[in-house]
Amino acid sequence: MKSCTAVSLAAILSLSACQAFSFMTPAVKSAPFVKSHSMLSMSATNAETNSLTLKPIQKLDGVVTLPGSKSLSNRCLLLAALSKGKTRVENLLESDDIRYMLEALDQMKVPVERDSDDITAVTVTGQSGPIDAPSADVCELFLGNAGTAMRPLAAALCMGKGKFVLDGVPRMRERPIADLVDGLVQLGADVQCVKETGCPPVTINSNGMSGGKASISGKMSSQFLSSMLMASPTATGDVTISIKDELISAPYVALTIGLMKKFGVNVEVIGEMSGTPSFYIKESETYTSPETILVEGDASSASYFLAGATITGGTVTVRGCGSESVQGDVAFANVMEQMGAT
C-alpha cells in the first residue's frame, strides 16, 4: 500500500498555518523568525539589512514541471545497464549523483548515448545481465559523495566479474555501508569496506554470484535493501533477503520494487512491510528494457504545490508525476481530495 511520508505531511502543516513571515540573515548571526499572517509571496530582498519579506497572496495557481527524482534517476540508469536491449531514459535530474553514475557507466564501457538536443535524456545499451570490469586491471570508480551511486553499484558489481574499488570524497568515507557489505558477503560475495569505520572505500573481487539467502538490518537505511534487490536478478540462482529487525522508509523499498517491475522483474514480498518482511527473487527473473522510461519528478516536492492550491482555492497542474507513480507520496493527492480538492 502506498503511503505519504513525513515530508508530504509537512506540506499540510506548513501551508495550513497560512502565515507570511519575514526573516533577517546577517553575515554572522542568524536572526529569529518574525511571524505575520496569511499565505506567502516573495518580495525583494533589502540589501542593507540582508532581510527577506514574504507577503500575503490570495490564491496559488500555475503549472509546475518537476525535475527527475535523484534516487529514481540513478535506479533507472542502473536497471537500464543491467537489462536486455536499449533504454531511453528521460527527465534525468541534473545533479552530481547522476553525473557520477553516468561517468561510472562510461568507465565500465557500458554504452551510454547522450541526447544532443536534451541534456536530461540518454540511451543506455544494456548488458543483458551483470556488469563486468572492462579489463583485468582494478577498475577504480570515484563517486564523489553520491550515495545513490555508491550503494547500488556496490551490490550490482558483485554479480559480475572483475576487480573494483569504489571510493569518493572524504565525506563519503564517513557514510556507513557495512550493513550492505554484510548482506552481500552472506550471498557469497568477496567484498569489503574499511573494517574500523564500516564505510567506503569498497573493494570488490567478483566472480559472479549463484544466489542464496541473506538477513540484513533495515534500521540504518532502506537503500541497502533496495541495492540488493536491484542486483539480485543478475545472480545465477534464487535470492531471498530477509529483514532481521525493522524496515525504515518502506515506501522507498516499494518504489524500488515498482521500478523493477517496469523492467520486467517481479519481487515476491513475504510478510508485512511494516514488520520484518522477506523478499524473494527467482532465478528466472531477468531485466528487459521497457524501451523508454520517464524518470518521475519527486512526489514529495509536488506535495507543497498541491497543498498550496488546496488551501487557497487555486488550480495547480503538476507535470512529471502522475497517478501511476511508483512513489508512495503520490497518495498525497488523495489526502488533498479528502480535504475538498478535485
Side-chain angles (χ1 to χ4, degrees), residues 14-80:
S14 61
L15 287 170
S16 63
C18 289
Q19 291 179 321
F21 59 89
S22 64
F23 59 91
M24 293 168 48
T25 56
V28 179
K29 296 181 179 179
S30 59
F33 288 91
V34 180
K35 293 184 178 179
S36 182
H37 60 279
S38 191
M39 286 302 295
L40 310 180
S41 69
M42 189 176 298
S43 69
T45 300
N46 186 307
E48 294 183 0
T49 62
N50 200 24
S51 67
L52 179 66
T53 301
L54 302 174
K55 295 182 177 180
I57 61 172
Q58 297 301 316
K59 188 179 291 187
L60 187 64
D61 291 291
V63 177
V64 179
T65 301
L66 298 175
S69 159
K70 179 173 69 174
S71 58
L72 278 174
S73 290
N74 272 348
R75 282 173 168 84
C76 285
L77 288 173
L78 179 60
L79 297 190

Coordinates of all heavy atoms in Angstrom, one line a residue, residues 14-80:
S14 N 2.8 23.2 7.1 CA 3.5 24.4 6.9 C 2.5 25.4 6.1 O 2.5 26.6 6.4 CB 4.7 24.2 6.0 OG 4.4 23.6 4.8
L15 N 1.7 24.9 5.2 CA 0.9 25.7 4.4 C -0.5 26.0 5.1 O -1.0 27.1 4.9 CB 0.6 25.1 3.0 CG 1.8 25.2 2.1 CD1 1.6 24.3 0.9 CD2 2.1 26.6 1.7
S16 N -0.9 25.1 5.9 CA -2.2 25.3 6.6 C -2.1 26.4 7.7 O -3.1 26.9 8.2 CB -2.7 24.0 7.2 OG -1.8 23.5 8.2
A17 N -0.8 26.7 8.1 CA -0.6 27.8 9.1 C -1.0 29.1 8.5 O -1.4 30.0 9.2 CB 0.8 27.8 9.5
C18 N -1.0 29.2 7.1 CA -1.5 30.4 6.4 C -0.8 31.7 7.0 O -1.6 32.6 7.3 CB -3.0 30.5 6.4 SG -3.8 29.2 5.4
Q19 N 0.5 31.7 7.2 CA 1.1 32.8 7.7 C 2.2 33.3 6.8 O 3.0 32.5 6.2 CB 1.7 32.5 9.1 CG 0.7 32.3 10.2 CD 1.3 31.9 11.5 OE1 2.3 31.2 11.5 NE2 0.8 32.4 12.6
A20 N 2.3 34.6 6.7 CA 3.5 35.1 6.0 C 4.5 35.5 7.1 O 4.1 35.8 8.2 CB 3.1 36.4 5.2
F21 N 5.8 35.6 6.7 CA 6.8 36.0 7.7 C 8.0 36.6 7.0 O 8.1 36.5 5.8 CB 7.2 34.8 8.5 CG 7.8 33.7 7.7 CD1 9.2 33.6 7.4 CD2 7.0 32.6 7.2 CE1 9.7 32.6 6.7 CE2 7.5 31.6 6.5 CZ 8.9 31.6 6.2
S22 N 8.7 37.3 7.8 CA 10.0 37.9 7.3 C 11.1 37.4 8.2 O 10.9 37.1 9.4 CB 9.9 39.4 7.3 OG 9.8 39.9 8.6
F23 N 12.3 37.4 7.6 CA 13.4 37.0 8.5 C 14.7 37.7 8.0 O 14.8 38.2 6.9 CB 13.7 35.4 8.4 CG 13.9 34.9 7.1 CD1 15.2 34.8 6.6 CD2 12.8 34.5 6.3 CE1 15.4 34.2 5.3 CE2 13.1 33.9 5.0 CZ 14.4 33.8 4.5
M24 N 15.6 37.8 8.9 CA 16.9 38.5 8.6 C 18.0 37.5 8.6 O 18.1 36.6 9.4 CB 17.1 39.6 9.6 CG 16.1 40.8 9.5 SD 16.1 41.9 10.9 CE 17.9 42.2 11.1
T25 N 19.0 37.7 7.7 CA 20.1 36.9 7.7 C 21.4 37.7 7.7 O 22.1 37.8 6.7 CB 20.1 36.0 6.4 OG1 20.0 36.9 5.3 CG2 18.9 35.1 6.4
P26 N 21.8 38.2 8.9 CA 23.1 38.9 8.9 C 24.3 38.0 8.6 O 24.1 36.8 8.5 CB 23.2 39.3 10.4 CG 21.8 39.2 10.9 CD 21.1 38.1 10.1
A27 N 25.4 38.6 8.3 CA 26.6 37.9 7.8 C 27.0 36.8 8.8 O 27.5 35.7 8.4 CB 27.7 38.8 7.6
V28 N 26.9 37.0 10.1 CA 27.5 36.1 11.1 C 26.4 35.4 11.9 O 26.3 34.2 11.9 CB 28.4 36.8 12.0 CG1 29.0 35.8 13.1 CG2 29.6 37.4 11.3
K29 N 25.5 36.2 12.5 CA 24.5 35.6 13.4 C 23.2 35.5 12.6 O 22.8 36.3 11.8 CB 24.2 36.5 14.6 CG 25.4 36.7 15.5 CD 25.1 37.6 16.7 CE 26.3 37.7 17.6 NZ 26.0 38.6 18.7
S30 N 22.4 34.4 12.9 CA 21.1 34.2 12.3 C 20.1 34.8 13.2 O 20.1 34.6 14.4 CB 20.8 32.7 12.1 OG 20.9 32.0 13.3
A31 N 19.1 35.5 12.7 CA 18.1 36.2 13.5 C 16.9 35.4 13.6 O 16.6 34.5 12.8 CB 17.8 37.6 12.9
P32 N 16.0 35.6 14.6 CA 14.8 34.8 14.8 C 13.8 35.2 13.7 O 13.8 36.2 13.1 CB 14.3 35.3 16.2 CG 14.9 36.7 16.3 CD 16.2 36.6 15.7
F33 N 12.8 34.3 13.6 CA 11.7 34.5 12.6 C 10.7 35.4 13.2 O 10.4 35.4 14.4 CB 11.1 33.2 12.2 CG 11.9 32.3 11.4 CD1 12.8 31.3 11.9 CD2 11.8 32.4 10.0 CE1 13.5 30.5 11.1 CE2 12.6 31.6 9.2 CZ 13.5 30.7 9.8
V34 N 10.1 36.3 12.4 CA 9.1 37.2 12.8 C 7.8 36.8 12.1 O 7.7 36.8 10.9 CB 9.4 38.7 12.4 CG1 8.4 39.6 12.9 CG2 10.8 39.0 13.1
K35 N 6.8 36.5 12.8 CA 5.5 36.0 12.2 C 4.7 37.1 11.8 O 4.6 38.2 12.4 CB 4.8 35.1 13.3 CG 5.5 33.8 13.6 CD 4.6 33.0 14.6 CE 5.3 31.7 14.9 NZ 4.5 30.9 15.8
S36 N 3.9 36.8 10.7 CA 2.9 37.8 10.2 C 1.7 36.9 9.9 O 1.4 36.1 10.7 CB 3.5 38.5 8.9 OG 2.5 39.4 8.4
H37 N 1.0 37.1 8.8 CA -0.3 36.4 8.6 C -0.5 36.1 7.1 O 0.1 36.6 6.2 CB -1.5 37.2 9.1 CG -1.6 38.6 8.4 ND1 -0.8 39.6 8.8 CD2 -2.4 38.9 7.4 CE1 -1.1 40.7 8.0 NE2 -2.1 40.3 7.2
S38 N -1.5 35.2 6.9 CA -2.0 34.8 5.5 C -0.9 34.0 4.8 O 0.1 33.6 5.3 CB -2.4 36.0 4.7 OG -3.1 35.6 3.6
M39 N -1.2 33.8 3.5 CA -0.3 33.0 2.6 C 0.9 33.8 2.2 O 1.0 34.9 2.5 CB -1.1 32.4 1.4 CG -2.0 31.3 1.7 SD -1.2 29.9 2.5 CE -0.2 29.4 1.2
L40 N 1.8 33.1 1.4 CA 3.1 33.7 1.2 C 3.4 34.1 -0.3 O 3.0 33.3 -1.2 CB 4.2 32.6 1.6 CG 4.1 32.0 3.0 CD1 5.2 31.0 3.2 CD2 4.1 33.1 4.1
S41 N 4.0 35.2 -0.4 CA 4.7 35.5 -1.7 C 5.9 36.2 -1.4 O 6.1 36.8 -0.3 CB 3.7 36.4 -2.6 OG 3.6 37.6 -2.0
M42 N 6.9 36.3 -2.4 CA 8.2 36.8 -2.1 C 8.3 38.2 -2.6 O 7.9 38.5 -3.7 CB 9.2 35.9 -2.7 CG 10.6 36.2 -2.3 SD 11.8 35.0 -3.0 CE 11.2 33.5 -2.2
S43 N 8.9 39.1 -1.8 CA 9.2 40.4 -2.3 C 10.7 40.6 -2.4 O 11.5 39.7 -2.1 CB 8.7 41.5 -1.4 OG 9.3 41.5 -0.1
A44 N 11.2 41.7 -2.8 CA 12.6 42.0 -2.9 C 13.4 41.9 -1.6 O 12.8 42.1 -0.5 CB 12.8 43.3 -3.6
T45 N 14.6 41.5 -1.7 CA 15.5 41.4 -0.5 C 16.1 42.8 -0.3 O 16.7 43.4 -1.2 CB 16.6 40.4 -0.7 OG1 15.9 39.1 -1.0 CG2 17.5 40.3 0.5
N46 N 16.1 43.3 0.9 CA 16.7 44.5 1.3 C 18.2 44.3 1.4 O 18.7 43.5 2.3 CB 16.1 45.0 2.6 CG 16.7 46.4 3.0 OD1 17.9 46.6 3.0 ND2 15.8 47.3 3.3
A47 N 19.0 44.9 0.5 CA 20.4 44.7 0.5 C 21.1 45.2 1.8 O 22.1 44.6 2.2 CB 21.0 45.4 -0.7
E48 N 20.6 46.2 2.4 CA 21.3 46.8 3.6 C 21.1 45.9 4.8 O 22.1 45.6 5.5 CB 20.8 48.2 3.9 CG 21.2 49.2 2.8 CD 20.7 50.6 3.1 OE1 20.1 50.8 4.2 OE2 20.9 51.5 2.3
T49 N 19.9 45.4 5.0 CA 19.7 44.6 6.2 C 19.8 43.1 5.9 O 19.8 42.3 6.8 CB 18.3 44.9 6.8 OG1 17.3 44.5 5.8 CG2 18.1 46.3 7.2
N50 N 19.9 42.8 4.6 CA 20.0 41.4 4.2 C 18.8 40.6 4.7 O 19.0 39.5 5.3 CB 21.3 40.7 4.7 CG 21.7 39.5 3.9 OD1 21.3 39.3 2.8 ND2 22.4 38.6 4.5
S51 N 17.6 41.2 4.6 CA 16.4 40.5 5.0 C 15.5 40.2 3.9 O 15.6 40.8 2.8 CB 15.7 41.5 6.0 OG 15.2 42.6 5.3
L52 N 14.6 39.3 4.1 CA 13.7 38.8 3.1 C 12.3 38.9 3.6 O 12.0 38.3 4.7 CB 14.0 37.4 2.6 CG 13.1 36.8 1.6 CD1 13.2 37.5 0.2 CD2 13.4 35.3 1.4
T53 N 11.3 39.6 3.0 CA 10.0 39.7 3.4 C 9.0 38.9 2.5 O 9.1 39.0 1.3 CB 9.5 41.2 3.4 OG1 10.4 41.9 4.3 CG2 8.1 41.3 3.9
L54 N 8.2 38.1 3.1 CA 7.3 37.3 2.4 C 5.9 37.8 2.6 O 5.4 37.9 3.7 CB 7.3 35.8 2.8 CG 8.7 35.2 2.7 CD1 8.7 33.8 3.4 CD2 9.1 35.1 1.3
K55 N 5.2 38.3 1.5 CA 3.9 39.0 1.6 C 2.8 38.0 1.3 O 2.9 37.0 0.6 CB 3.9 40.2 0.6 CG 4.9 41.3 1.0 CD 4.8 42.4 0.1 CE 5.7 43.6 0.5 NZ 5.6 44.7 -0.4
P56 N 1.6 38.4 1.7 CA 0.4 37.5 1.5 C 0.0 37.4 0.1 O 0.2 38.3 -0.7 CB -0.7 38.2 2.3 CG 0.0 39.1 3.3 CD 1.3 39.5 2.6
I57 N -0.5 36.2 -0.3 CA -1.2 36.1 -1.6 C -2.6 35.5 -1.4 O -2.9 35.0 -0.3 CB -0.4 35.1 -2.5 CG1 -0.3 33.7 -1.9 CG2 1.0 35.7 -2.8 CD1 0.3 32.7 -2.8
Q58 N -3.4 35.7 -2.4 CA -4.8 35.3 -2.2 C -5.0 33.8 -2.8 O -5.9 33.1 -2.2 CB -5.7 36.2 -3.0 CG -5.7 37.6 -2.4 CD -6.1 37.7 -0.9 OE1 -7.1 37.0 -0.5 NE2 -5.4 38.4 -0.1
K59 N -4.3 33.5 -3.8 CA -4.5 32.2 -4.5 C -3.3 31.7 -5.1 O -2.5 32.5 -5.6 CB -5.6 32.4 -5.5 CG -6.1 31.0 -6.1 CD -7.2 31.3 -7.1 CE -8.5 31.8 -6.4 NZ -9.6 31.8 -7.3
L60 N -3.1 30.4 -5.1 CA -1.9 29.8 -5.7 C -2.4 29.0 -7.0 O -3.1 28.1 -6.9 CB -1.2 28.8 -4.8 CG 0.1 28.1 -5.2 CD1 1.2 29.2 -5.3 CD2 0.5 27.1 -4.3
D61 N -1.9 29.6 -8.2 CA -2.3 29.0 -9.4 C -1.0 28.8 -10.3 O 0.0 29.5 -10.1 CB -3.2 29.9 -10.2 CG -4.6 30.0 -9.6 OD1 -5.3 29.0 -9.6 OD2 -4.9 31.1 -9.0
G62 N -1.1 27.8 -11.2 CA 0.0 27.7 -12.1 C 0.3 26.3 -12.5 O -0.4 25.3 -12.2
V63 N 1.4 26.1 -13.3 CA 1.8 24.8 -13.8 C 3.2 24.6 -13.3 O 4.1 25.4 -13.5 CB 1.8 24.7 -15.3 CG1 2.3 23.4 -15.8 CG2 0.3 24.9 -15.8
V64 N 3.5 23.4 -12.7 CA 4.8 23.1 -12.1 C 5.3 21.9 -12.9 O 4.7 20.8 -12.9 CB 4.7 22.8 -10.6 CG1 6.1 22.5 -10.1 CG2 4.2 24.0 -9.9
T65 N 6.5 22.0 -13.4 CA 7.2 20.8 -14.1 C 8.3 20.4 -13.1 O 9.2 21.1 -12.9 CB 7.8 21.2 -15.4 OG1 6.7 21.6 -16.3 CG2 8.4 20.0 -16.1
L66 N 8.2 19.1 -12.6 CA 9.1 18.6 -11.6 C 10.4 18.1 -12.3 O 10.2 17.3 -13.3 CB 8.5 17.5 -10.8 CG 7.3 17.9 -10.0 CD1 6.7 16.7 -9.3 CD2 7.6 19.0 -8.9
P67 N 11.6 18.4 -11.9 CA 12.8 17.7 -12.3 C 12.7 16.3 -11.9 O 12.1 15.9 -10.9 CB 13.9 18.5 -11.7 CG 13.3 19.1 -10.5 CD 11.9 19.4 -10.8
G68 N 13.5 15.4 -12.5 CA 13.5 14.0 -12.2 C 14.0 13.8 -10.8 O 14.9 14.5 -10.3
S69 N 13.5 12.8 -10.1 CA 13.9 12.4 -8.8 C 15.4 11.9 -8.8 O 15.7 11.1 -9.7 CB 13.0 11.3 -8.2 OG 13.6 10.5 -7.2
K70 N 16.2 12.2 -7.8 CA 17.6 11.8 -7.8 C 17.7 10.3 -7.6 O 18.4 9.6 -8.4 CB 18.3 12.5 -6.7 CG 19.8 12.1 -6.5 CD 20.5 12.9 -5.5 CE 20.0 12.6 -4.1 NZ 20.8 13.3 -3.1
S71 N 17.0 9.7 -6.7 CA 17.1 8.3 -6.4 C 16.5 7.5 -7.6 O 17.1 6.5 -8.0 CB 16.4 7.9 -5.1 OG 15.0 8.3 -5.2
L72 N 15.4 8.0 -8.2 CA 14.9 7.3 -9.4 C 15.8 7.4 -10.6 O 15.9 6.5 -11.4 CB 13.5 7.8 -9.7 CG 12.3 7.3 -8.8 CD1 11.0 8.0 -9.1 CD2 12.2 5.8 -9.0
S73 N 16.4 8.6 -10.8 CA 17.3 8.7 -11.9 C 18.4 7.7 -11.9 O 18.7 7.0 -12.9 CB 18.0 10.1 -11.9 OG 17.0 11.1 -12.1
N74 N 19.1 7.5 -10.8 CA 20.2 6.5 -10.7 C 19.7 5.1 -10.7 O 20.3 4.2 -11.3 CB 21.1 6.8 -9.5 CG 22.2 7.8 -9.9 OD1 22.4 8.1 -11.0 ND2 22.9 8.3 -8.9
R75 N 18.5 4.8 -10.2 CA 17.9 3.5 -10.3 C 17.6 3.1 -11.7 O 17.9 2.0 -12.2 CB 16.7 3.4 -9.4 CG 16.9 3.3 -7.9 CD 15.5 3.4 -7.2 NE 15.6 3.0 -5.8 CZ 15.9 3.8 -4.8 NH1 16.3 5.1 -5.1 NH2 15.9 3.4 -3.5
C76 N 17.0 4.1 -12.4 CA 16.7 3.8 -13.8 C 18.0 3.6 -14.7 O 18.0 2.7 -15.5 CB 16.0 5.0 -14.4 SG 14.2 5.1 -13.9
L77 N 19.0 4.4 -14.4 CA 20.3 4.2 -15.2 C 20.9 2.8 -14.9 O 21.3 2.1 -15.8 CB 21.3 5.3 -14.8 CG 21.0 6.7 -15.3 CD1 22.0 7.7 -14.7 CD2 21.0 6.7 -16.9
L78 N 20.9 2.4 -13.7 CA 21.4 1.1 -13.3 C 20.6 -0.1 -13.9 O 21.2 -1.0 -14.5 CB 21.6 0.9 -11.8 CG 22.1 -0.4 -11.3 CD1 23.5 -0.7 -11.9 CD2 22.1 -0.6 -9.8
L79 N 19.3 0.0 -13.8 CA 18.5 -1.1 -14.3 C 18.6 -1.1 -15.8 O 18.5 -2.2 -16.4 CB 17.0 -0.9 -13.9 CG 16.8 -1.0 -12.4 CD1 15.3 -1.1 -12.1 CD2 17.5 -2.2 -11.7
A80 N 18.7 0.0 -16.5 CA 18.9 0.1 -17.9 C 20.2 -0.6 -18.3 O 20.2 -1.4 -19.3 CB 18.8 1.5 -18.4

